[in-house]
Amino acid sequence: MAAEDYAYEAEALADASLKKRQAGESADLLRLLEDTLAVRERHLGPTAPETLSCRVQLSFAYWNADKRSRAISMLKLVLKHQNEELGIHHPDSRTTALRLHELRAERKGRWWKTSAGS
């Protein structure tokens, strides 16, 4: 596939996933994000920034679709790649580590709770 074809396919999938997200169609959104991830992995590789960004989006889509284990597994993979490519002190790695910590805490019911009225 030529670079122009990849760019068109990736943009079309991203546009479609945005429309599904806005419409609240989570099943279709998951499928589109999974397709987008497959295209990006195939053409850019598993550690390309665009691929990792898609993985983050997919992890939160899984979370919102009550697929908690898949969401956490996906984010763990993103963090692994970021740590290898960018280092553990890079802002992207640190942000992903924090998100992963938050999702794990929320899954275990330890998420920070605010008092009523706050």
Side-chain angles (χ1 to χ4, degrees), residues 39-103:
V39 168
R40 288 184 175 176
E41 282 184 325
R42 188 170 53 250
H43 294 283
L44 301 175
T47 61
E50 296 88 349
T51 304
L52 295 177
S53 175
C54 186
R55 280 190 187 284
V56 170
Q57 292 176 32
L58 183 55
S59 72
F60 284 102
Y62 283 145
W63 187 266
N64 290 332
D66 291 326
K67 297 182 179 195
R68 307 292 200 229
S69 293
R70 283 184 96 175
I72 289 173
S73 294
M74 182 74 58
L75 214 51
K76 284 170 65 174
L77 183 59
V78 170
L79 183 60
K80 175 184 178 284
H81 287 309
Q82 286 175 330
N83 286 344
E84 290 170 355
E85 296 292 316
L86 305 171
I88 63 171
H89 298 294
H90 189 278
D92 290 349
S93 300
R94 294 175 69 124
T95 298
T96 301
L98 178 61
R99 287 179 176 162
L100 182 58
H101 174 76
E102 290 170 345
L103 292 184

Side-chain angles (χ1 to χ4, degrees), residues 8 11 19 28-30 35 44 48 51 89-90 103 111 116:
Y8 175 78
E11 185 175 330
K19 289 176 185 172
D28 289 338
L29 174 61
L30 287 175
D35 291 348
L44 301 175
T51 304
H89 298 294
H90 189 278
L103 292 184
W111 190 240

Side-chain angles (χ1 to χ4, degrees), residues 17 21 29-37 54 57-58 61:
S17 67
R21 182 179 297 128
L29 174 61
L30 287 175
R31 183 184 54 78
L32 285 168
L33 286 171
E34 288 166 344
D35 291 348
T36 302
L37 178 60
C54 186
Q57 292 176 32
L58 183 55

